[in-house]
Amino acid sequence: MNDIVITVGSAIGSPLELVRSIKKEIACKAYILCTNQNAAKIISTSIFVDEVKLISSANEEEYVQNIKDWYERKSFNEMPILYFTYDTACFYINNNREWFEQRFIICLPSTDIIKTFTQKGLAEKKAAKAGLVVPKTKILEKLDDAKLISESFNFPVILKPRATYLNNGIGFKIKVISKKNDFLSFAEKSILNGCSLLCQEFIPGGDDVSYYYLFYRAIDGSIVDNMGRKTLQSTPQGGIMAKGLVENNNELVLISRKFLNRIDYKGIGGIEYKKNNGKYYFIEMSTRLEGFYKIAEISNSPLSLVSYYDLTENKEALQKAVSSKQMDGFIYMDFITTIATRIKSHKYFKLIGELLTIVFDKKVKLNIYSRFDPKPFWLSLKTLIFK
């Protein structure tokens, strides 16, 4: 029996959903290697998790060595499957891939894909070359870059850290700047602080035109997917998905599958798009479980089991799992982010209505909560209240 090992940063919902989905069907053990103390404490209360190990990640060498030391103390009868929930772990482990591939079955696409798609600026070029529509993009790291952007880009523009392992203390996920003078002022300050940022022309529209596409592309190239709309984000311009609606989209399926086949992606991942003037613009891709990964599992897209059966070459069980079809209409809600977003925008009546749907609408599912495994949710809520 192949156990599962999951590398975790601060995410709670995605590793929990992966563990729950697999262990409801398979009698394996689940190990969590976590770099965040708060997340480790919450995840450790799950009845589906066998062990949580807090891993120091001050730098790549320390992170990898701590995992090596942990592995040497274990005695796995068969190679465990290694899953990922954050980009830094993907990048670090990819840099040490030979050692890990000798000891784990890694749910990770190719070295080239990891190096490209975990770093904004490189990802957009590769996506455009592979046929996706991409917003006008430039890396901002010199004063000349800022001048060129101010002269040749349409405003507003959106700024993003290039990678979690390159953020240099950048304290935001996205920043939208509407005026050239404001952009030049912010850019000069960022450059002087040694920041490297991605700058894009902002695609108009808010939550009504933001789309997600989650997938697992198997060893043989077959794809199981799940898609829908991001109906509420932590800011109107983007950010963390607070709510999502499962909704089939044949055009998005064709675009995404063609792209994944072109780059020969293998493993779990997610793509985010924004629609404008009839075109789906590539926003970003994750080479690991998305934070809102649960949305696939609640709507009959068993990416967890499909990945497990594919990676362990259980063809009979895989055939049964891939026959499941997406069920539309399910609503994913990140409980804490939804509350914070509505309060920030002073939409209190909207929030009350959403809280009522949790009780009365069976298709509304909370990110961390499971009635079979409630402790992580209540501890995360308690931690927030008494923070």
Side-chain angles (χ1 to χ4, degrees), residues 18-173:
L18 180 74
V19 168
R20 289 163 176 167
S21 299
I22 290 176
K23 291 196 66 174
K24 283 178 183 177
E25 300 292 332
I26 300 161
C28 64
K29 289 188 175 181
Y31 301 91
I32 305 293
L33 306 179
C34 188
T35 61
N36 182 280
Q37 189 169 10
N38 182 59
K41 182 179 179 181
I42 293 169
I43 293 171
S44 67
T45 64
S46 171
I47 62 172
F48 293 95
V49 173
D50 294 276
E51 179 186 319
V52 177
K53 174 65 177 177
L54 195 61
I55 299 286
S56 177
S57 60
N59 54 60
E60 178 181 330
E61 183 180 2
E62 182 179 30
Y63 180 74
V64 171
Q65 188 58 54
N66 278 323
I67 294 179
K68 288 181 177 181
D69 293 342
W70 173 83
Y71 176 87
E72 295 303 327
R73 293 192 294 269
K74 312 303 291 184
S75 297
F76 292 107
N77 295 323
E78 297 185 62
M79 290 175 70
I81 302 175
L82 184 60
Y83 288 95
F84 301 80
T85 64
Y86 73 118
D87 290 339
T88 301
C90 294
F91 185 77
Y92 285 171
I93 288 174
N94 183 65
N95 287 345
N96 299 270
R97 196 166 184 133
E98 183 177 355
W99 186 90
F100 282 91
E101 287 186 327
Q102 291 173 359
R103 294 160 178 84
F104 295 89
I105 303 170
I106 61 173
C107 186
L108 203 63
S110 69
T111 293
D112 178 62
I113 288 174
I114 294 299
K115 288 183 176 179
T116 302
F117 285 97
T118 61
Q119 192 169 147
K120 293 176 177 64
L122 301 180
E124 289 73 17
K125 289 181 180 178
K126 185 77 170 182
K129 189 175 180 180
L132 295 183
V133 180
V134 178
K136 189 173 182 178
T137 301
K138 184 169 180 57
I139 295 171
L140 172 63
E141 52 189 358
K142 304 188 299 290
L143 289 174
D144 286 346
D145 299 329
K147 184 178 179 182
L148 179 62
I149 290 167
S150 69
E151 293 174 348
S152 60
F153 276 49
N154 293 320
F155 280 72
V157 295
I158 188 166
L159 297 174
K160 303 175 185 178
R162 294 189 61 201
T164 55
Y165 49 87
L166 296 174
N167 64 17
N168 297 323
I170 298 169
F172 60 87
K173 181 177 172 64

Side-chain angles (χ1 to χ4, degrees), residues 28 31 33 41 127 134 174 178 187 227 229 245 294 350 380:
C28 64
Y31 301 91
L33 306 179
K41 182 179 179 181
V134 178
I174 62 169
S178 300
M227 72 225 67
R229 289 187 291 115
L245 172 67
K294 182 172 182 174
K350 189 76 173 177
S380 66

Side-chain angles (χ1 to χ4, degrees), residues 38 42 335-337 339-340 377-387:
N38 182 59
I42 293 169
F335 184 69
I336 292 170
T337 304
I339 292 175
F377 175 79
W378 294 117
L379 180 56
S380 66
L381 197 58
K382 178 181 177 183
T383 301
L384 178 69
I385 294 171
F386 296 102
K387 192 173 182 179

Side-chain angles (χ1 to χ4, degrees), residues 141-236:
E141 52 189 358
K142 304 188 299 290
L143 289 174
D144 286 346
D145 299 329
K147 184 178 179 182
L148 179 62
I149 290 167
S150 69
E151 293 174 348
S152 60
F153 276 49
N154 293 320
F155 280 72
V157 295
I158 188 166
L159 297 174
K160 303 175 185 178
R162 294 189 61 201
T164 55
Y165 49 87
L166 296 174
N167 64 17
N168 297 323
I170 298 169
F172 60 87
K173 181 177 172 64
I174 62 169
K175 181 178 286 291
V176 178
I177 301 180
S178 300
K179 298 179 180 179
K180 289 185 181 182
N181 288 340
D182 292 341
F183 165 76
L184 288 169
S185 176
F186 182 85
E188 182 177 4
K189 186 186 300 183
S190 299
I191 291 163
L192 292 175
N193 288 333
C195 298
S196 177
L197 298 167
L198 178 81
C199 182
Q200 287 183 326
E201 288 187 347
F202 180 71
I203 304 302
D207 299 332
D208 55 326
V209 294
S210 298
Y211 294 80
Y212 77 86
Y213 176 86
L214 303 183
F215 64 88
Y216 178 80
R217 187 170 184 268
I219 296 167
D220 66 2
S222 60
I223 298 173
V224 178
D225 44 26
N226 182 276
M227 72 225 67
R229 289 187 291 115
K230 301 170 73 174
T231 58
L232 178 66
Q233 298 180 85
S234 54
T235 72

